[in-house]
Amino acid sequence: MSALQIVAAVVCLGVTAVAVALLVKTVNHFLATFRLGQPEDRGGDVGARTRTLLREFLGHTRMSRLPVVAIAHWVTMVGFGYLFFTLLNAFGQLFKPDFALPLIGHFPPFEWVTELLAWTGLVAILVLIAIRQKNHPRSAPGQDGRRSRFFGSTWWQAYYVELTILGVMACILALRALEYALEKSGGSTGTSAVGDASALHYPLTGWLGRLLDGVGVDTLENVIVIVAAVKILISFAWMITIALNPTMGVAWHRFLAFFNIFYKRHADGRTSLGELQPIRIKGEVLDFENVEDLDEDAPLGVGKVEDFTWKGLLDFTTCTECGRCQSQCPAWNTDKPLSPKLLVMTLRDHAHAKSPWLLASEEVRAAGIEKAGDEFSDATKAAVAAEQLVGPTGYDIRHPLQAYNPHGPDAVIDDDVLWSCTTCGACVEQCPVDIEHVDAIVDLRRYKNLIESAFPAELNGLFKNLEKNSNPWGLAPRLRMDWAKDLPFEVKQVGVDVENLDEVDYLFWVGCAGAYEDRAKKTTRAVAELLDTAGVSFAVLGDGEACTGDSARRAGNEFLFQMLAQQNVETLNEVGASKIVVTCAHCFNTIKNEYPQLGGRYEVLHHTQLLNRLVRDKRLTPVARPGEVATTGAASTGAKVTYHDPCYLGRHNQVYAPPRELLQILPGVEYAEMERSKEKSFCCGAGGARMWMEEKLGTRINNNRTEEALATGADRIAIGCPFCKVMLSDGLNAAIQDGKATDAVEVVDVAQMLLAAVRRGDGGGEPADAEVPAPQPDPEPAPTA
């Protein structure tokens, strides 16, 4: 061995030993930190979980929403694993420049894939670098760069990872070219185990090797040793860097994402939306009938970072800081302090800062954090000193959530951040590594609500109305049937007109909005008329119906939700409910996905699903208007329509096609899709109990969405949820006042448009608004967010 080889070997092996030791230490730190979280069983159905992992990993299904990024990332991801063999080969080249791995070193297919991945990996990382620069905050609209999905990400870490990959790919290609030149110059041993300088073995790098013709064997061998050493040092310097930075998600997700995907909520791979998870105490679902038996310090929700489950802590650590969640978040896009990405980053940094203290001995903790001296970092001391996770922080709206500040205020996350969330699920839908943001936010709200009784003042009225009269408006249950007055047919009530639901096809769950809110009553009447026209028998519960509890649960008041939900489940089971049709997306999600947690299992259909089925079965026939399109009120079909996806119908339950098919089948109506639609649809602003809270920060979400709908040129904005109808109607009124729209534009439910077309066919004309009882002001009108 030459002196160069000795020095290179000693340095590389020394750095490797340090890197491996630090990596093992950090992995142990991860395991210890995750064990601090509350227990949760996520290991069922290993086969399905494995298939989900392989599908998302190899198919990049979660990444595909940005196709160019997905392709480039797939290449670098596969290359990261496959090209590990080139790292092993580099160690051999330190000692023997013409070294090749046994068996596969000069096996042509192995060499072909190696060169292909090296070249495509080089191009791919350059593409990713270009995309990051193109989307840099300095190039984003606005003065502060908030519209960039990379706003708030840790830039030096991203640059370091990208340059590492670029350097490794360049070294691989350089080594292949040098190996070609060495073999061509006769430096090879010539044994059968070693390839020859031909296109068979160097199909994509031979041309580079030919550029080295005339270079001496000794020089080629020395350069191979140097490049191999550089490759090793780049690789293990990266390993040392990530070992010293356990919160470096842009690097650690390469390893942790496999586990996060494997342990996602649904083994079959469904997005972790729909139902919220129940409160658990030490891994067991809380039994609300025995809540009095709980320990005084039992956490109801999350008040400290260690109250999150181990999966929650894994979620935070896996964050890649890609910002896809941030780019889709309605709160962030309307200049509110909530960014799902920055929230997760903050929780991640806080968890890893606090974990050394939580893992310390009882003696050390008994002595107190201030007496611990230099044993703990400033970040650890600050994390321990933080009195609460959520509270007033005095944040800067331009940078509301950055890396955990060791000298910051007592709270880690500001109240405004927590209560800005609409639980629309855009963040969860977009996340490529399956982080469950909504569950974390609701758990934080539960603690604020149930333990600290600290929630926005507007929710007081909501909770009181739900407790007293089982509806958000606080109106008397006897008024629940007012929507059916003057209908030309009988609306059957369970317990009055029918004893059991076996006598009818469906239970029509009217919902609080459908019974009390004047705009939603029109939808309720339209659906009832369509069902009657189609010959579908149905009955309603009347005053036996109570609020499903959706808003209470998402506001964090789990006790109130349980009370309402258990009442409804008992009623539904008593009357033999099996098939239920609903008009509210929130009721649909709650009854379909959350009531099974309480023993209520039913076939639940959204009204657009049932109506679409009836049209397909020719039981309802929409007819074109002869000659022109009139506007006889909110029930007319209009000439051009766009559709707004309710979050709890679309993203949370994947119901996208039925309402669109209904609209597109309407004769003489042009359908226009908004740019943000389906899984990328923008929220109306009412979810997560925001329907009942004033929108005091930034701009209004409903105005943002309404303006997008108006940009399509549509004169009808179709919806499938009464919450959306309220919010977009208010947004339209604001646009009319600002001169951005005219009175000719209306917000209508899909059912109203279908009814208008069907009524034309039976000679009844379009249904007039006069059929609906005159609107009455609500006693306690809800502020629109």
Side-chain angles (χ1 to χ4, degrees), residues 276-280 285-286 288 300-301 442-443 445-447 449-450 463 548-566 594 597-598:
L276 285 174
Q277 297 299 283
I279 292 180
R280 287 184 169 86
V285 175
L286 174 60
F288 279 81
L300 298 177
V442 171
D443 273 336
R445 287 183 174 185
R446 283 168 171 167
Y447 189 89
N449 200 308
L450 302 177
F463 295 155
T548 60
D550 162 84
S551 292
R553 192 173 214 193
R554 278 147 188 82
N557 196 336
E558 185 72 10
F559 281 13
L560 183 53
F561 165 77
Q562 292 286 331
M563 181 188 77
L564 295 166
Q566 288 175 4
E594 297 186 336
Q597 297 173 354
L598 303 172

Side-chain angles (χ1 to χ4, degrees), residues 512-562:
C512 299
Y516 294 118
E517 208 283 324
D518 292 307
R519 286 165 284 193
K521 287 180 185 178
K522 298 175 184 178
T523 300
T524 308
R525 292 170 64 89
V527 171
E529 289 192 57
L530 288 166
L531 294 181
D532 181 70
T533 300
V536 176
S537 62
F538 66 93
V540 299
L541 291 176
D543 59 8
E545 193 178 285
C547 178
T548 60
D550 162 84
S551 292
R553 192 173 214 193
R554 278 147 188 82
N557 196 336
E558 185 72 10
F559 281 13
L560 183 53
F561 165 77
Q562 292 286 331

Side-chain angles (χ1 to χ4, degrees), residues 713-777:
D715 52 13
R716 294 293 179 273
I717 303 173
I719 49 84
C721 174
F723 282 27
C724 297
K725 192 170 190 180
V726 168
M727 302 303 287
L728 295 186
S729 294
D730 290 350
L732 178 60
N733 290 337
I736 292 174
Q737 292 177 3
D738 293 341
K740 298 178 181 178
T742 67
D743 292 335
V745 183
E746 294 173 307
V747 178
V748 295
D749 191 277
V750 174
Q752 293 176 267
M753 296 189 68
L754 177 62
L755 180 61
V758 169
R759 281 287 183 246
R760 290 199 294 264
D762 62 18
E766 296 199 16
D769 287 343
E771 297 179 43
V772 183
Q776 298 295 323

